[in-house]
Amino acid sequence: MSNLDEIIKSRRDTRHFTNDAVPDAVIEKALQAGHWAPSVGLTEATKYYIIKSAEIKKAVKELFLEYDKKAAGCTDDELQKIQYQALKLEAIEDAPLGLVICYDRSVLNHFTIGTVGSNEAIKFSAVCAAQNIWLSLTEQGYSMGWVSILNYYQFKKILGLPEHIEPLGYFCVGKPATNYENQPMLQQLHWKHKSEAPFVAEITQLCPEEEKEIKEDIIHSAASDVLLKNLQDKIDQKTKPIGSLGVLEKIAKQFGEVFQTLKPKIKQPHIVVFAADHGIAQHGVSAYPQDVTRQMITNFLEGGAAINVFCKQNNIALSVVDAGVNYDFPSNTKLISAKIDKGTHSFLNDSAMSKMQMELCFSKGAEIVINIAKQGSNCIGFGEMGIGNTATASVLMSVLCNFSIEDCVGRGTGVTDEKLEFKIDILRKAIENYHGPKDVDSYLAHFGGFEILQMAGGMLEAYQNNMIFLVDGFICSVAFLIAFKKNPAILKNAVFSHQSAEKAHKKLLDYLEVSAILQLDLRLGEGTGCALVFPIVQSAVAFLNEMASFESAGVSEK
């Protein structure tokens, strides 16, 4: 086979192989073709690992079967599930040779032409190499099958791959046992048909300038005086002395007002943890290294963090968002990808992000909340994770509230007295080095964090969707401060879950003229305060809806 068009047309994602061994010369020629593929900035970041061991193949196969079972559960209906289970999606143990195609993230530790716009360019280069290998194998009468239904974290552990080496997947290599009737296997099996021709359209004019301002919030009209009066009457008529349930009465009235009903119900409660890295962390303002952000995301996804425990305890759905972590997470995790960049720049001498990135944070945060609201949720909690984000939050509080930085800085993850003074000095210098405009958006772009701004965007959107939203500790309260600066009306939808051990939190709550429900000396983040306060919120709604009135219980009023 020598005609290029024939080779391209004949290339198949192969799942059926003969027992014929793959000669060394065949794989060497194919890998050389991969090496000739485009490589952004000549990074040569693509790496190859050959698998011949039956033991390793078996371990990878078991990993596939575990995830394949989960994938089958995601089908739309029982018929599709049966059809899916009938598909042969891998040949890990059948194929004579296994190939793992990877890209090396460590090349990004140094400036590389072509990766500034997108760090994922090194991944794209590896995909180009994979295609070259496929075409070379096809030309030689062999083929390859891409297996991506894997837990990539476990996959790397099985293979012993270094942290900076990221696999595209596991590729089965061998001589194909069938030509699949000269069509893609899924088409042959009537799963899906490939279109006859590609989509092509010419763009002939510039797109009109998008409205870059965050949409102005429509301030909802206050609940009618009649509803408010009826809510208060209903609360006062319960079989208890007036005001004796304290904060619970305030919460009950708030829920009734936001949901515009005398019988509010909490539907599908959800907590979202937004995570990102911060350039300011490189100056040693945290007690932990930046890689802890990535490690904790993995912990969230595996269910091992405090927020996982508390959400499970209280039957709250949990989502985790990559708002800008300095790591490429596998695409088949349950992580919501809203990555703006791999962490902000250090704001000590430069802007943390561009104005465009700042605006994108708000839209990404809003989009996440919209999707949760569409699932039927009317109560959402906000949490965060990001080494260095207490430093970012402290500076934002200082510039937005015109407080001294000393009043806004705390120990964060638990820095020592000496480290605390160092942290204050660094942040004071950062504020002194800023000579830009004094408006809110300029401050946010220069000092902001991706996860903090996405939470602010999410809170604004929660208000638009008439959702109650629970605010976690200090950093989330700074996100609320940002949203409040843009639309003060959101205050009526907010529940402040707890007053954290960060000394600045009390000062910020006082500034906002609000009170937190709990005081447990928490300083963990993750949305843990939201999860812990939720049973109290539930109790407030329960007494409003279920507690007897003096009249219904036949109890005399005083």
Side-chain angles (χ1 to χ4, degrees), residues 545-558:
N545 289 331
E546 301 172 25
M547 188 175 175
S549 66
F550 284 110
E551 181 179 0
S552 66
V555 175
S556 299
E557 299 183 60
K558 70 173 183 178

Side-chain angles (χ1 to χ4, degrees), residues 358-374:
M358 181 269 293
E359 293 166 348
L360 188 58
C361 284
F362 281 91
S363 61
K364 289 277 191 182
E367 180 183 343
I368 289 165
V369 172
I370 287 172
N371 289 334
I372 291 173
K374 285 180 178 177

